[in-house]
Amino acid sequence: MAGQLAGKSHGRGKRRGYRAMAEINMTPFIDVMLVLLIVFMVAAPMLTVGVPVDLPKTNAAPLEQQKDPLFVTVQTDGRVFVQETPVELTNMVALLIAVTNNNPEARILVRGDAKIAYGKMLEVMGTMSAAGFKKVGLVAEMPNGPTASSARVGAPKPAR
């Protein structure tokens, strides 16, 4: 048998021109990250309190936020919700005690529709207060527009 030609290799030996690729292929990683971004963008708006209510507008300054406030919602038709669970007013205190682990210092925020009767809101808040809950507050939205900042108490009046 004649000798081998220079540069050609046959049989079991390694090829001299082969090298391992030292680069990381980022395309699959970027694809996965974009899919996760889209999933989180779609899911984030669904994590808010789910009972629809038309909140009244106010010029009061916002209070400091608590980590996990407990929401009680009163709709226009008088239905009461604790978080997203509908509840009768007579059973509301028992549910609040269970949810707060009998903690009278738990912060409870009442969300009432702007068109609801004032008496119904007082009835709900009075029931919670009579049960011993000390930190009961109301939720409202800030009004939009340039008059909102100038109408605050203590704010200087605009020059005419």
Side-chain angles (χ1 to χ4, degrees):
M1 302 216 173
Q4 290 182 341
L5 295 174
K8 299 235 178 181
S9 148
H10 297 290
R12 296 182 191 162
K14 285 187 175 181
R15 292 184 187 175
R16 293 183 186 185
Y18 175 75
R19 285 188 179 159
M21 187 171 79
E23 297 176 5
I24 296 174
N25 188 359
M26 294 295 290
T27 305
F29 177 71
I30 293 171
D31 290 345
V32 169
M33 296 308 292
L34 286 175
V35 168
L36 287 175
L37 176 68
I38 292 170
V39 167
F40 286 128
M41 287 173 55
V42 169
M46 295 180 210
L47 299 177
T48 58
V49 177
V51 180
V53 67
D54 180 27
L55 294 175
K57 308 269 190 260
T58 182
N59 291 326
L63 299 175
E64 293 180 20
Q65 294 291 325
Q66 181 186 4
K67 295 184 280 186
D68 293 323
L70 183 63
F71 287 99
V72 174
T73 306
V74 183
Q75 287 187 326
T76 307
D77 57 2
R79 293 188 305 165
V80 179
F81 292 82
V82 174
Q83 294 294 73
E84 295 181 12
T85 307
V87 65
E88 294 294 325
L89 194 58
T90 55
N91 301 332
M92 181 182 68
V93 173
L95 182 60
L96 288 174
I97 289 172
V99 170
T100 62
N101 295 326
N102 201 15
N103 180 11
E105 296 295 322
R107 183 127 211 208
I108 302 173
L109 298 177
V110 181
R111 301 171 67 231
D113 196 283
K115 298 175 183 93
I116 193 154
Y118 183 68
K120 183 66 176 178
M121 286 295 291
L122 286 181
E123 183 181 5
V124 170
M125 292 181 70
T127 302
M128 288 185 279
S129 179
F133 291 103
K134 299 176 183 175
K135 296 184 177 181
V136 179
L138 293 172
V139 177
E141 290 181 343
M142 294 296 288
N144 295 334
T147 59
S149 61
S150 63
R152 271 195 198 130
V153 176
K157 295 186 179 185
R160 294 183 184 185

